[in-house]
Amino acid sequence: EIKDEFRGLPKYIFDDKRIRKFFAETKEKYILYGEWLIKHTVNYDPEFMNRFWIFDVYDKEEHRYLKYPEYEDMLVTEKLDYIPVILTITDPTMDILLRMVREKEHTPKSGFGADAIEGLVYKNYDFINRFGNNVYMKAVTKDFYEIHRTVMGGAGKRIDPEVYLIHKYQTPARMEKMYHKMVDDHGTLQMKHIPEFMNRVLHDLFVEDAWNMFMRDKSVKKLRFDMGTLRKVSYAMSKNWYIDKLRQRGTDGDDKEGKEEDKDSKGE
C-alpha cells in the first residue's frame, strides 16, 4: 500500500526494471536507502534529476548496514545508480575531517552539478552508539550553513513548534515523576516497560499542560503543528531519558531502588 506518492518516487521504483531485478535476485534480503533527486532548494544537472541514488544498503538477515566494498559490486552489476565513496580514511582527527570540508568549499561544482556543495557525510559502519544505533556525521560548508542558519541554528534560529513544545514542557522533572510512579506499580523496571513509560509521559503532558501548550504559549499560538510529529518527538525524548535512567541504575536494566524497596517490605 502506497501512503505517500512523494512526487513520483513509488512509480519510479515500481517501473525501474533494474531495481525490480535486484530485489528479485536477492530475494528481498536488502533494503536500499537513497536520495530521490528532484528539484528543491538545490539545482542539479538535468541528467542526474528524477533518479534514485543509493547511498546505503541494509542486510535484513544480518541486521546491519553493509560496508561500501560489500555492496558496490552488486550495484554495479545491476547498473543501479549509487553515490560513490570519495575517500576511505583510518582514525582521522576532527581537524582532518573539518579541513576536508573547508577544502570542498573551493570546489566550483559538486559531482552532480550543483552550484554549491552542502558538505561531507562521514560513516563508520562499525560504530554503534549507546542506544544501539549506527549513526553518521555530516559536516556542512560555510556557505550552506549561512543559507540554512534559520533552520540549523544561530541568530534568529527557527525551531519546529513540535520540538519547542516538547523541550519546554516535557521536563526531566515530569519524566522523573512518571518513572517513580511506575516503580510504585511494578517495583522493578526493565527495557520492556519503555512503551508504557513513553505513553504515560505523553498522557501526563496532555492532562497537565495541554492548555498552556496549545492556548497560552504565545510562541506557538498562531503556528500550525502536527500531532503525529509531536508524539514522535515526545516518545524519542522519553525513550532516551528512560534508557539513561536504567543505565544509571544498573547494566541489567533493573531498578535498584525498586529492589531495595522490595527487600525492605519483605523484611517487615
Side-chain angles (χ1 to χ4, degrees):
E1 180 184 0
I2 300 175
K3 297 183 180 296
D4 188 345
E5 289 293 339
F6 199 65
R7 298 175 67 179
L9 176 59
K11 185 179 186 304
Y12 175 87
I13 297 297
F14 287 131
D15 291 346
D16 193 306
K17 295 180 180 179
R18 301 169 303 164
I19 295 177
R20 295 209 315 269
K21 182 172 179 284
F22 172 82
F23 283 126
E25 292 183 348
T26 59
K27 302 185 185 303
E28 299 188 6
K29 177 184 178 182
Y30 303 108
I31 298 175
L32 300 179
Y33 291 89
E35 179 166 356
W36 176 227
L37 205 61
I38 53 178
K39 184 174 177 59
H40 49 93
T41 57
V42 179
N43 292 317
Y44 299 97
D45 286 346
E47 62 264 33
F48 300 112
M49 299 291 287
N50 300 309
R51 292 162 66 181
F52 182 71
W53 293 89
I54 299 165
F55 54 68
D56 262 325
V57 179
Y58 185 80
D59 189 317
K60 294 189 289 185
E61 294 180 0
E62 297 184 10
H63 305 289
R64 68 180 181 90
Y65 287 95
L66 299 184
K67 296 179 180 180
Y68 182 73
E70 294 179 291
Y71 69 75
E72 181 186 17
D73 288 344
M74 289 194 300
L75 303 187
V76 170
T77 300
E78 300 299 337
K79 299 180 180 179
L80 294 172
D81 297 324
Y82 68 97
I83 299 176
V85 168
I86 297 175
L87 176 69
T88 300
I89 187 170
T90 303
D91 294 329
T93 64
M94 183 59 71
D95 287 340
I96 291 176
L97 298 180
L98 295 179
R99 186 167 67 246
M100 291 170 62
V101 177
R102 288 194 293 270
E103 290 173 353
K104 285 293 180 181
E105 292 177 348
H106 303 292
T107 304
K109 274 197 171 188
S110 75
F112 287 79
D115 293 331
I117 295 176
E118 292 185 18
L120 295 174
V121 176
Y122 303 101
K123 300 181 179 181
N124 181 352
Y125 291 98
D126 295 322
F127 174 74
I128 305 296
N129 69 8
R130 58 179 176 169
F131 303 118
N133 298 320
N134 183 207
V135 294
Y136 304 146
M137 166 187 166
K138 180 176 182 179
V140 300
T141 61
K142 182 179 179 181
D143 289 342
F144 183 81
Y145 172 79
E146 290 298 327
I147 293 172
H148 295 79
R149 66 184 304 177
T150 56
V151 176
M152 300 176 65
K157 68 178 181 180
R158 176 181 62 81
I159 300 176
D160 291 334
E162 298 88 355
V163 175
Y164 165 80
L165 288 172
I166 294 302
H167 279 75
K168 180 175 181 179
Y169 292 98
Q170 189 168 308
T171 62
R174 183 188 299 276
M175 291 185 284
E176 188 80 36
K177 177 184 70 173
M178 301 314 300
Y179 177 86
H180 285 291
K181 284 187 176 182
M182 287 183 61
V183 169
D184 292 339
D185 292 341
H186 299 290
T188 298
L189 296 185
Q190 299 175 335
M191 296 293 284
K192 67 180 181 181
H193 294 112
I194 288 178
E196 179 183 347
F197 178 75
M198 294 190 301
N199 284 311
R200 281 200 180 197
V201 171
L202 185 62
H203 179 265
D204 184 76
L205 187 68
F206 284 161
V207 170
E208 297 291 336
D209 274 311
W211 178 261
N212 291 327
M213 291 169 62
F214 306 128
M215 302 302 294
R216 297 184 62 183
D217 198 310
K218 296 180 180 179
S219 299
V220 297
K221 192 173 182 179
K222 296 182 179 180
L223 296 179
R224 298 180 62 181
F225 53 86
D226 180 72
M227 292 300 293
T229 301
L230 190 79
R231 183 176 64 252
K232 290 179 181 179
V233 176
S234 171
Y235 281 175
M237 177 182 284
S238 296
K239 180 179 179 180
N240 290 341
W241 186 94
Y242 184 91
I243 292 175
D244 278 343
K245 188 72 172 179
L246 290 192
R247 290 182 185 278
Q248 294 171 12
R249 297 301 182 193
T251 56
D252 59 354
D254 292 335
D255 182 78
K256 293 182 179 179
E257 289 182 354
K259 287 183 176 180
E260 292 299 324
E261 291 175 2
D262 290 344
K263 289 181 180 179
D264 291 342
S265 62
K266 289 179 181 179
E268 293 175 356

mmCIF file of all heavy atoms in Angstrom, residues 52 76 112 143 152 170 173 187 191 219 250:
data_model
loop_
_atom_site.group_PDB
_atom_site.id
_atom_site.type_symbol
_atom_site.label_atom_id
_atom_site.label_comp_id
_atom_site.label_asym_id
_atom_site.label_seq_id
_atom_site.Cartn_x
_atom_site.Cartn_y
_atom_site.Cartn_z
ATOM 1 N N PHE A 52 16.837 7.746 -8.521
ATOM 2 C CA PHE A 52 17.035 7.319 -7.134
ATOM 3 C C PHE A 52 18.493 6.916 -6.956
ATOM 4 O O PHE A 52 18.961 5.933 -7.533
ATOM 5 C CB PHE A 52 16.113 6.140 -6.813
ATOM 6 C CG PHE A 52 16.204 5.665 -5.387
ATOM 7 C CD1 PHE A 52 15.703 6.437 -4.349
ATOM 8 C CD2 PHE A 52 16.786 4.441 -5.087
ATOM 9 C CE1 PHE A 52 15.783 6.000 -3.030
ATOM 10 C CE2 PHE A 52 16.868 3.991 -3.778
ATOM 11 C CZ PHE A 52 16.366 4.776 -2.749
ATOM 12 N N VAL A 76 26.881 -2.197 -9.130
ATOM 13 C CA VAL A 76 27.489 -2.042 -10.452
ATOM 14 C C VAL A 76 26.966 -3.118 -11.396
ATOM 15 O O VAL A 76 26.632 -2.847 -12.561
ATOM 16 C CB VAL A 76 29.029 -2.118 -10.350
ATOM 17 C CG1 VAL A 76 29.649 -2.196 -11.747
ATOM 18 C CG2 VAL A 76 29.572 -0.910 -9.603
ATOM 19 N N PHE A 112 27.423 16.281 -8.894
ATOM 20 C CA PHE A 112 26.104 16.185 -9.505
ATOM 21 C C PHE A 112 25.684 17.504 -10.157
ATOM 22 O O PHE A 112 24.534 17.675 -10.531
ATOM 23 C CB PHE A 112 25.066 15.764 -8.467
ATOM 24 C CG PHE A 112 25.176 14.315 -8.069
ATOM 25 C CD1 PHE A 112 26.144 13.900 -7.165
ATOM 26 C CD2 PHE A 112 24.332 13.367 -8.613
ATOM 27 C CE1 PHE A 112 26.260 12.568 -6.803
ATOM 28 C CE2 PHE A 112 24.438 12.032 -8.261
ATOM 29 C CZ PHE A 112 25.411 11.628 -7.357
ATOM 30 N N ASP A 143 29.076 28.197 3.366
ATOM 31 C CA ASP A 143 28.018 28.812 2.555
ATOM 32 C C ASP A 143 26.674 28.136 2.796
ATOM 33 O O ASP A 143 25.642 28.798 2.918
ATOM 34 C CB ASP A 143 28.376 28.736 1.068
ATOM 35 C CG ASP A 143 29.516 29.675 0.703
ATOM 36 O OD1 ASP A 143 29.789 30.599 1.499
ATOM 37 O OD2 ASP A 143 30.128 29.473 -0.359
ATOM 38 N N MET A 152 19.234 25.545 11.106
ATOM 39 C CA MET A 152 20.282 24.815 11.801
ATOM 40 C C MET A 152 20.725 25.483 13.090
ATOM 41 O O MET A 152 21.362 24.870 13.924
ATOM 42 C CB MET A 152 21.488 24.648 10.871
ATOM 43 C CG MET A 152 21.154 23.897 9.601
ATOM 44 S SD MET A 152 22.541 23.805 8.487
ATOM 45 C CE MET A 152 23.664 22.803 9.450
ATOM 46 N N GLN A 170 8.016 18.962 28.442
ATOM 47 C CA GLN A 170 8.338 17.593 28.874
ATOM 48 C C GLN A 170 9.676 17.631 29.608
ATOM 49 O O GLN A 170 10.706 17.205 29.106
ATOM 50 C CB GLN A 170 8.399 16.643 27.674
ATOM 51 C CG GLN A 170 8.512 15.170 28.092
ATOM 52 C CD GLN A 170 8.277 14.237 26.932
ATOM 53 O OE1 GLN A 170 7.271 14.355 26.234
ATOM 54 N NE2 GLN A 170 9.196 13.321 26.695
ATOM 55 N N ALA A 173 11.924 16.710 35.266
ATOM 56 C CA ALA A 173 11.147 16.517 36.495
ATOM 57 C C ALA A 173 9.855 15.754 36.205
ATOM 58 O O ALA A 173 9.435 14.890 36.989
ATOM 59 C CB ALA A 173 10.823 17.870 37.123
ATOM 60 N N GLY A 187 7.611 -2.110 40.780
ATOM 61 C CA GLY A 187 8.720 -2.491 41.652
ATOM 62 C C GLY A 187 10.043 -2.502 40.922
ATOM 63 O O GLY A 187 10.979 -1.811 41.301
ATOM 64 N N MET A 191 13.682 -2.814 30.311
ATOM 65 C CA MET A 191 13.540 -2.259 28.971
ATOM 66 C C MET A 191 12.144 -2.502 28.397
ATOM 67 O O MET A 191 11.643 -1.711 27.607
ATOM 68 C CB MET A 191 14.598 -2.864 28.038
ATOM 69 C CG MET A 191 16.031 -2.534 28.418
ATOM 70 S SD MET A 191 16.424 -0.783 28.223
ATOM 71 C CE MET A 191 16.595 -0.688 26.444
ATOM 72 N N SER A 219 4.456 31.656 21.863
ATOM 73 C CA SER A 219 5.464 31.313 20.860
ATOM 74 C C SER A 219 4.906 30.431 19.755
ATOM 75 O O SER A 219 5.407 30.437 18.630
ATOM 76 C CB SER A 219 6.651 30.605 21.528
ATOM 77 O OG SER A 219 7.269 31.451 22.475
ATOM 78 N N GLY A 250 21.785 0.330 36.694
ATOM 79 C CA GLY A 250 22.478 -0.943 36.553
ATOM 80 C C GLY A 250 22.404 -1.436 35.131
ATOM 81 O O GLY A 250 21.435 -1.188 34.421
#
